[in-house]
Amino acid sequence: MHHPDANCRRCIWATVVRRDHEAGRLQPALGAIEGGSSGAASFGSAVKAACEALKKALGRQAIQLPDSPLKAATSDELIFTNGQMCMRNDPTRRVSLAELVQLSDKDTIQAEASAAPNQDDRKRYSSYAHSAVFVEVRIDEQLGQVRVTRVVNAVAAGKILNPKTAANQIMGGVVWGISKALYEHGMVDHHAGRFMNHNLAEYHIPTNADIDNIEVIFVQEDDRHVNALGVKGVGEIGIVGTAAAIANAIFHATGKRYYEFPITADQIMLDAPDTEIPNIGPPGTNARRSAG
């Protein structure tokens, strides 16, 4: 905490880089790899630990003030609100953070902390994100065209720090899963040892017009063993179950199992219809069931 002048109310920061003063270069701080939401889990846990250490340091300073309203309070009983530190059960007992810094005879009140995985917990507990995926498909009987009209992905991924961005991340994963199930196919020339469709004209991916309703549900989960924040990754969990759920939905619509992706119209058309099943789409779009 720093107060360059008397008008400063509050300025709190966390340093995540080291500076090499002699060479004038910025060097990255020690931390986890960039991927799997590890930034939130690693840096976030360290920031949380540093904030808790700073809270204790400010609490000690507040208790030592003459006639302090927070005298005899413990750090667990103190909270921060509107630039002040106050009692959790009695907000009228409060002290300004700026006042704490000014009366400390210091330019700053600092606290440092680090965070690392609990190796004992990692050996005893499994702390992966998990989900359940529900898919609705419509299949044109004459063209064999499959359209995913609705996806519901219910995800348990620990504490969700930002529900909007996390939901968007899951939606992006669902689109990838749809793409895997119905569109993407890398064609390899084994003699030349190269991909033959290495461009967006021949390597098919879905467009906005191919994607319908996607709903993301976050299941509340309090995992106290995964890390200090209780957060988990929300990237790949949107992808992994979607393609399999689409294959299951196609099975329910046609009675035919497909074991290779992508599931294309020509594969569905190869299965001669024996019996029709009830209409599952708008007028003119019937699903069909194949024998065997």
Side-chain angles (χ1 to χ4, degrees):
M1 181 170 292
H2 177 61
H3 65 102
D5 55 55
N7 295 324
C8 178
R9 295 295 304 275
R10 181 172 52 172
C11 183
I12 301 176
W13 68 89
T15 301
V16 294
V17 296
R18 299 194 309 269
R19 183 170 183 85
D20 186 339
H21 293 281
E22 295 182 359
R25 296 189 301 267
L26 286 176
Q27 298 179 350
L30 294 177
I33 63 170
E34 179 61 30
S37 304
S38 59
S42 57
F43 301 138
S45 296
V47 170
K48 181 176 185 293
C51 289
E52 291 175 345
L54 180 61
K55 177 182 175 181
K56 292 180 180 179
L58 289 170
R60 290 191 296 268
Q61 182 67 27
I63 292 172
Q64 294 172 3
L65 291 177
D67 301 323
S68 172
L70 305 179
K71 202 166 188 177
T74 64
S75 60
D76 291 336
E77 297 174 322
L78 299 175
I79 60 173
F80 295 100
T81 177
N82 297 324
Q84 297 178 324
M85 174 177 280
C86 64
M87 295 289 294
R88 186 185 303 274
N89 57 359
D90 187 1
T92 61
R93 297 171 57 186
R94 62 182 65 194
V95 175
S96 166
L97 297 181
E99 181 183 1
L100 289 178
V101 177
Q102 292 168 358
L103 296 178
S104 67
D105 296 328
K106 301 176 183 178
D107 291 335
T108 61
I109 296 180
Q110 302 183 70
E112 295 184 4
S114 61
N118 187 313
Q119 297 300 332
D120 291 337
D121 280 353
R122 296 185 72 178
K123 293 177 181 178
R124 296 176 58 192
Y125 301 99
S126 175
S127 297
Y128 297 104
H130 51 283
S131 68
V133 186
F134 305 88
V135 170
E136 176 186 88
V137 299
R138 297 182 188 275
I139 304 175
D140 189 296
E141 181 182 5
Q142 295 180 336
L143 301 178
Q145 184 181 28
V146 179
R147 186 170 186 90
V148 178
T149 54
R150 187 184 181 202
V151 179
V152 178
N153 196 329
V155 182
K159 183 176 182 179
I160 304 301
L161 300 179
N162 188 322
K164 186 175 184 63
T165 57
N168 288 342
Q169 182 82 355
I170 298 295
M171 287 182 184
V174 169
V175 172
W176 277 19
I178 295 172
S179 187
K180 175 181 176 63
L182 301 178
Y183 297 92
E184 297 188 44
H185 184 199
M187 303 182 69
V188 180
D189 184 330
H190 295 282
H191 295 286
R194 59 179 293 182
F195 285 98
M196 302 305 294
N197 59 335
H198 49 76
N199 58 77
L200 292 179
E202 298 173 297
Y203 187 88
H204 295 169
I205 59 175
T207 64
N208 287 347
D210 297 311
I211 304 301
D212 284 303
N213 183 34
I214 300 175
E215 181 180 356
V216 178
I217 301 171
F218 287 115
V219 180
Q220 293 186 0
E221 183 183 32
D222 183 15
D223 191 332
R224 300 178 183 272
H225 300 286
V226 61
N227 52 61
L229 290 180
V231 300
K232 301 179 181 180
V234 291
E236 290 79 0
I237 192 63
I239 306 172
V240 291
T242 303
I246 291 172
N248 283 340
I250 292 174
F251 167 72
H252 281 280
T254 66
K256 176 68 176 180
R257 284 287 185 190
Y258 296 93
Y259 298 98
E260 294 183 0
F261 293 138
I263 303 172
T264 54
D266 60 314
Q267 291 176 277
I268 294 177
M269 293 298 290
L270 284 175
D271 301 318
D274 285 344
T275 58
E276 289 189 355
I277 62 174
N279 185 5
I280 61 171
T285 59
N286 293 320
R288 68 183 181 188
R289 186 183 305 279
S290 62

